[in-house]
Amino acid sequence: MTPRCAIAVMREYGTLADLLAAYKLCGNGASTAQDCKLLLADLIVHNANGSQSRLGPKLSGVVHLALTTTDPTQKLK
């Protein structure tokens, strides 16, 4: 994750505890597993050249896996 992507997540959630709480709420509600994986996908990343992009589904899924897996040998893909 680039610093600019991390800043986008930090802007939305503030702390790691806030992000983990959002994942917990997502997993306990009416949301599907796919919804939880895509929680961060639409966050706006401000690029160095002044443009904007989304964090995207792939990186959102990797962050979700890294923060929610209970398997310490899980490979992040």
Side-chain angles (χ1 to χ4, degrees):
M1 177 178 284
T2 67
R4 291 184 189 283
C5 291
I7 288 168
V9 174
M10 183 185 70
R11 261 193 229 113
E12 183 71 21
Y13 292 98
T15 67
L16 181 57
D18 292 340
L19 178 56
L20 292 173
Y23 280 132
K24 186 173 183 178
L25 283 173
C26 184
N28 291 335
S31 302
T32 66
Q34 186 65 15
D35 292 334
C36 295
K37 289 178 185 175
L38 296 176
L39 183 69
L40 305 177
D42 289 328
L43 293 182
I44 300 298
V45 177
H46 298 277
N47 301 311
N49 64 2
S51 67
Q52 296 179 345
S53 60
R54 294 180 330 124
L55 194 91
K58 184 168 176 110
L59 184 54
S60 180
V62 170
V63 172
H64 176 264
L65 181 62
L67 295 179
T68 62
T69 187
T70 57
D71 179 0
T73 63
Q74 175 71 48
K75 294 202 184 274
L76 302 177
K77 358 176 180 173

